[in-house]
Amino acid sequence: DGGITQSPKYLFRKEGQNVTLSCEQNLNHDAMYWYRQDPGQGLRLIYYSQIVNDFQKGDIAEGYSVSREKKESFPLTVTSAQKNPTAFYLCASRARGGLTDTQYFGPGTRLTVL
Amino acid sequence: AQKITQTQPGMFVQEKEAVTLDCTYDTSDQSYGLFWYKQPSSGEMIFLIYQGSYDEQNATEGRYSLNFQKARKSANLVISASQLGDSAMYFCAMRGLYSGAGSYQLTFGKGTKLSVIP
């Protein structure tokens, strides 16, 4: 089945450590996105990529890094520079063009800093 | 800048009744899209329905319909015949044509928690 997978589902990190969240899609979508969701809040954009080997900062990119070496994969690294990384992280992808340009989401990764 | 406002933090509805979730938006774009997503307790964001700013008809998808009033800048979600499985957070989002330098970035509201009562 086509879809978006994120791993791990739950992630625990000690302060000062970098961690990488995985996002893979087999929808053949060109664009991919990373969002952060805090309790009681909507989603905020961290980074996005419209094509391989290219990505752009979103509204809250500080303390995060990404890469896009393959069309299917868009991993997010939460660095030690991120002051408050505990949150729910959602990855999304979108087909280029199309009438609605709808973004489809993965199941999310819940990151907790101990 | 774009803004989405959802004024109802929580809503209750009786099973089999209809419910309307409010969403108002603000944008200077002439062309834009409006989306509704459902987020169950598992966390995944599930796409429900889309309305384009130039669409003359209100969008419908099964039990979901979008009451689009362009002059009022509102895009309310109507769920007919509520089911227990409809209990979830619901987010309204919009995408401007040129938002984020072509990123098709979505701007989200803070959501409404819907609880369906048996």
Side-chain angles (χ1 to χ4, degrees), chain B residues 43-56:
Chain B
E44 184 173 359
M45 296 286 282
I46 301 167
F47 166 69
L48 295 178
I49 196 166
Y50 166 85
Q51 178 84 40
S53 58
Y54 290 117
D55 294 340
E56 294 185 354

Side-chain angles (χ1 to χ4, degrees), chain B residues 22-91:
Chain B
D22 294 341
C23 172
T24 58
Y25 60 90
D26 191 22
T27 182
S28 55
D29 289 341
Q30 295 301 308
S31 178
Y32 50 88
L34 294 154
F35 302 79
W36 277 93
Y37 287 87
K38 172 184 178 181
Q39 187 177 42
S41 57
S42 60
E44 184 173 359
M45 296 286 282
I46 301 167
F47 166 69
L48 295 178
I49 196 166
Y50 166 85
Q51 178 84 40
S53 58
Y54 290 117
D55 294 340
E56 294 185 354
Q57 303 272 358
N58 284 343
T60 60
E61 289 286 348
R63 294 186 299 110
Y64 303 108
S65 60
L66 201 152
N67 184 1
F68 181 48
Q69 298 188 43
K70 195 170 182 178
R72 291 187 171 188
K73 293 190 174 180
S74 74
N76 298 338
L77 177 70
V78 180
I79 305 175
S80 63
S82 297
Q83 302 172 355
L84 295 178
D86 293 335
S87 294
M89 285 290 292
Y90 288 82
F91 290 93

